[in-house]
Amino acid sequence: MTEMSGGPALPQERRVVTSVPGPKSQELMARKQAAVADGIGTVMPVFAERAGGGVLEDVDGNSFIDFGSGIAVTGVGNSADAVVRRASAQLAQYTHTCVMVTPYEPYVEVCEELAKLTPGDHAKKSALFNSGAEAVENAVKIARSYTKRQAVVVFDHGYHGRTNLTMALTSKNMPYKHSFGPFAPEVYRVPVAYPFRWLTGPENCAEEAAAQAIDQINKQVGAENVAAILIEPLLGEGGFIEPAKGFLPRLAQFAKENGIVFVADEIQSGFCRTGQWFACEDEGIVPDLITTAKGIAGGMPLAAVTGRAEIMDAPHVGGLGGTYGGNPVACAAALGSIETMREMDLPARARRIEEVMKPRLRKLAEQYDVIGDVRGRGAMLAIELVKPGGKEPDPQVTAALAKACHENGLLVLTTGTYGNVMRFLPPMVIGEDLLDEGLDVLEGALAEL
């Protein structure tokens, strides 16, 4: 009998046939501990063997409903047909030449697609890289080259990567920054409009947070010294925080008035995830630069900076690049991923996921007072868990809830500055029956807390 492969043909079912982790995963975990650096953590201690659609199957035969998508990467599903077809064809032609040595058409095609898809009708250019952190670093380089300024403004609860500069840009200490300093200079952090935790209430959040942020920039940095304002339109690792309406447009306008490059970090929120191609479209934001990665290539390593042509062209020839940046196989996968997003209308699929999930999450919040907030858009949703009777974060309950979900066949991820947010990032191709079943598992786990 031929062994079943992964991808869309994988049976779309939750199946728990061993303890979690099962014996084979436990054996592999022992090998991991002997051979892999301890700093590489694990959310769920099972080893994947196949994945596709809305499920992930481990080496013990357990099939988990996937509410994580490899941290928002496999929005088109694992091993999506168009991704496999295009990447396989490219793999058979050549795997690498380095675009800085001999360029190739797939790199140009991806940049052309990014110019079409990203917000704004101005002339755009792109540069391709390997990871989100690389994209962010290069966006800062480009902004500094264009403005001839040095300062970069970022926000509370923001996350931008694990390299030295992006650790400086990132807000959260543990596990991202702890013991790894000193960090890159000329980075300044200001408040973000976090409605659930704004002291004077969500109704005042946008105006007050914007006023505070702009005041701090003017007083502590000087707008004339700022090269870039960098923000996630829907904050990811900080807790899936959706800034209060009006906050982002005010910051973008301030940037425009002061010759500051406004950078939207859409690494987690981009490529249909929030029900639009990019999250910044929700309030009509047209960023000067936009960074993308994660969902761009169906699981292959690729990232990009896309922006106004005159800004992107500011660095000198040879100032941007990298040996593997825009690898031809990854570019082919990206073209397959974008093809899938268009053909399946994944922005609409993401909006439908919100229609299915959000009412049930809100109902659970009414039943269980450990859920302090339900938020997010599209297929990027979250619940914030607190100690009953207030807003004190409860990371212990969050961890226990995630463990219970894992043991019952639901892959979920936690996040947040305080470690008390459970985020839901299902592949946008997931079936509604799996969405409902996954929420049943979540509800059962909450009942057992």
Side-chain angles (χ1 to χ4, degrees), residues 4-24:
M4 185 182 299
S5 63
L10 196 64
Q12 299 296 289
E13 62 182 13
R14 178 174 66 98
R15 184 175 65 250
V16 182
V17 296
T18 72
S19 59
V20 177
K24 291 182 180 179

Side-chain angles (χ1 to χ4, degrees), residues 271-315:
F271 288 101
C272 313
R273 176 57 61 181
T274 63
Q276 293 165 299
W277 277 90
F278 297 97
C280 57
E281 295 178 79
D282 182 64
E283 292 188 88
I285 303 295
V286 178
D288 297 310
L289 300 178
I290 183 167
T291 61
T292 52
K294 290 192 182 290
I296 191 173
M300 295 295 287
L302 190 69
V305 182
T306 303
R308 297 184 185 276
E310 67 273 17
I311 299 177
M312 291 297 298
D313 283 342

